[in-house]
Amino acid sequence: MSTATAPAPIGAITRSGPSLLSLTLLHAKFSVLETIRTPIAVVGNLLFPTLAMFFFVVPQASVAGNPLFATAAVGQLAMFSVMSTFLFTFGSGVAEDRALPFEGYIRTLPAGAAPRMLGRVLAGCLYALVSLIPLGVVGALFTQATAPPATVLLAALMVLVVGLPFLMLGLAIGYRMSSKAAIAVVQAVLFPLAFAGGLFLPAEIFPSWLNTLSQALPSRAGRDLLIQVLTGQQAYALALPVLIAWGLLFTALAVLAYRRDEGRRFN
């Protein structure tokens, strides 16, 4: 038996809900305003990579005075800055939000999880780009780091792309763990990956065994691909496959963590 849909009354106005784009921008604005209400969270994100540049790169004349080495150093610390922003924003940040009743209420709304998730990604990318500004200023003023404006813009997009695996890793941590555990895990993951990936010391000075291990890490792959864009120095042959493989793995972990969290909360 078929059912017929009743026609709308004459003169009735059909109203459609807000679009995905408008909801996404609204959630991004909410995330930005929520973060800047705690200024130290923004300042801390801005300062650490810039201070590392100022104290570890600028005083070394052999690095700061060489355009190739100085530009590569800026690229390394830019990679660390984006890794740090994505892991903390989507790792400990998501874990903290999950503990709030408001987060559970948002996930019950008809719009679904997409606008909230995309808004959070937009806000995270904005923080990541803002954190690169003081780093670039210090590199330009106190070292011989240099690159054409078009290359700088391309590198800014590239650093977000090579940071995507860490965004997914952050989501996997944030949806899987409590807020206290997430902070500890993010710190335990971030610094070993940064050191072994050549983000604090040039990977070219690593011993052979560490260099081999380093090339299997997403931080080293992202670093080399970013430096290739900035300086033209060729990345190792497996850099892109390694980054894609880690990205797929972290995405799968993030999806599993999200579904597990949703199942525990709403079933």
Side-chain angles (χ1 to χ4, degrees):
M1 182 176 71
S2 62
T3 57
T5 303
I10 297 175
I13 300 175
T14 303
R15 297 181 183 276
S16 59
S19 65
L20 175 63
L21 177 61
S22 63
L23 286 174
T24 298
L25 294 177
L26 185 63
H27 279 288
K29 178 183 176 182
F30 173 76
S31 296
V32 171
L33 293 177
E34 188 180 35
T35 301
I36 62 177
R37 289 175 61 188
T38 310
I40 190 63
V42 181
V43 173
N45 187 45
L46 293 175
L47 278 185
F48 188 82
T50 306
L51 290 178
M53 182 76 187
F54 208 79
F55 289 115
F56 296 115
V57 176
V58 172
Q60 300 183 48
S62 60
V63 177
N66 184 305
L68 178 61
F69 294 166
T71 306
V74 172
Q76 291 173 187
L77 289 173
M79 182 70 204
F80 173 77
S81 180
V82 171
M83 276 178 56
S84 173
T85 301
F86 282 170
L87 283 174
F88 277 104
T89 300
F90 299 100
S92 60
V94 168
E96 289 173 1
D97 286 349
R98 284 174 49 235
L100 302 176
F102 186 60
E103 181 69 13
Y105 167 71
I106 287 179
R107 291 169 68 176
T108 65
L109 296 179
R116 176 68 167 159
M117 191 73 72
L118 293 174
R120 194 190 294 275
V121 169
L122 279 181
C125 290
L126 178 63
Y127 298 142
L129 291 176
V130 169
S131 71
L132 302 180
I133 295 175
L135 176 63
V137 170
V138 170
L141 292 180
F142 297 100
T143 74
Q144 296 298 316
T146 181
T151 301
V152 173
L153 289 177
L154 182 59
L157 294 176
M158 187 67 180
V159 76
L160 294 180
V161 172
V162 298
L164 287 178
F166 302 97
L167 186 156
M168 291 300 167
L169 177 59
L171 288 175
I173 294 171
Y175 281 111
R176 181 66 179 81
M177 300 182 177
S178 67
S179 58
K180 290 182 179 178
I183 292 176
V185 170
V186 165
Q187 291 174 337
V189 167
L190 173 62
F191 288 101
L193 279 178
F195 276 108
L199 305 187
F200 294 143
L201 293 174
E204 289 76 13
I205 66 172
F206 285 172
S208 60
W209 67 268
L210 182 55
N211 186 50
T212 302
L213 173 65
S214 175
Q215 291 184 359
L217 299 177
S219 48
R220 172 67 183 278
R223 171 229 186 232
D224 280 27
L225 290 171
L226 177 60
I227 289 178
Q228 180 177 330
V229 171
L230 269 175
T231 68
Q233 187 176 358
Q234 196 68 26
Y236 63 99
L238 293 178
L240 185 58
V242 166
L243 191 69
I244 291 174
W246 281 106
L248 292 175
L249 174 62
F250 292 154
T251 300
L253 292 177
V255 171
L256 289 175
Y258 182 84
R259 288 182 174 176
R260 177 181 181 273
D261 179 66
E262 195 167 57
R264 292 181 62 183
R265 284 170 174 261
F266 301 109
N267 285 343

